[in-house]
Amino acid sequence: VTTAYSKGTMGNSCIEAVAYDARRRVCYYTAEFQTTAGSDNTRGTGNAKIFTRSITANATMLSFGSESVLSNINALYSSVLSGGDISDMCYSAQDDTILLLSDELEKVVKITRAGKVVETLATPAEQPEGVTLNPDGSVMWVVGEDSDGFSPGEFFRYELGVEGSR
């Protein structure tokens, strides 16, 4: 499947995060960092987008629809993601939002599908790399890896709506 990030010069900074929206039967995806203003596949400081495409499944294969831009998230890189990255994302069906995880900033940013910030949550993970929700959306899981590469990974559980849970 060809994407806006295909055949570029981003190296290991291409598609970093993918989420599935079962209600709409689409996936959302984005790169780890901003790209240049003139290219969605060259690392820089000009573009940050979440892309979407439909997914159709039958007994033997998946089919992907055309790629389109869900939202432009440039503004996040000059505010809540300033100096950071996106290491994972998760779709929340309960409130129709997307959770973006930044390992460099050690936080989760909840945004609308249009890219507007709803809230942020700091995580104590040393290097958070994954985020997901349980099926009813009441619990968020953040997984991380220790930066030294030798220590065991981290696993955090957040009961959403419960102050101070971890």
Side-chain angles (χ1 to χ4, degrees), residues 6 24 27 41 56-57 64 77 88 95 110 113-114 125 144 162:
S6 298
R24 293 178 182 88
C27 66
N41 61 23
T56 306
F64 295 91
Y77 282 92
D88 197 16
D95 58 3
K110 180 188 272 192
R113 290 175 59 251
V162 178

Side-chain angles (χ1 to χ4, degrees), residues 3-164:
T3 74
Y5 298 128
S6 298
K7 300 178 183 145
T9 59
M10 291 178 68
N12 191 31
S13 300
C14 294
I15 294 176
E16 181 78 3
V18 178
Y20 182 65
D21 176 345
R23 179 186 323 163
R24 293 178 182 88
R25 295 185 178 157
V26 299
C27 66
Y28 306 124
Y29 51 95
T30 192
E32 184 173 8
F33 300 104
Q34 286 178 284
T35 62
T36 64
S39 172
D40 287 327
N41 61 23
T42 306
R43 188 170 172 183
T45 59
N47 284 331
K49 299 175 184 174
I50 295 176
F51 291 92
T52 184
R53 61 174 60 216
S54 63
I55 300 175
T56 306
N58 64 33
T60 59
M61 71 186 292
L62 290 175
S63 298
F64 295 91
S66 298
E67 178 177 78
S68 62
V69 175
L70 176 70
S71 58
N72 184 306
I73 56 171
N74 277 339
L76 300 183
Y77 282 92
S78 59
S79 61
V80 296
L81 290 176
S82 179
D85 69 332
I86 296 174
S87 57
D88 197 16
M89 68 191 311
C90 174
Y91 173 73
S92 172
Q94 289 67 35
D95 58 3
D96 199 28
T97 60
I98 295 172
L99 305 177
L100 302 174
L101 177 67
S102 172
D103 77 89
E104 292 180 359
L105 300 174
E106 299 172 348
K107 67 180 168 182
V108 177
V109 178
K110 180 188 272 192
I111 62 170
T112 65
R113 290 175 59 251
K116 180 182 176 194
V117 175
V118 176
E119 66 182 300
T120 63
L121 170 72
T123 178
E126 187 174 318
Q127 187 175 347
E129 293 286 348
V131 63
T132 193
L133 296 167
N134 71 337
D136 71 5
S138 64
V139 177
M140 178 178 69
W141 305 91
V142 174
V143 295
E145 58 189 39
D146 286 338
S147 59
D148 65 11
F150 299 103
S151 303
E154 301 171 305
F155 199 76
F156 295 91
R157 179 181 191 269
Y158 298 87
E159 292 185 31
L160 301 180
V162 178
E163 189 73 26

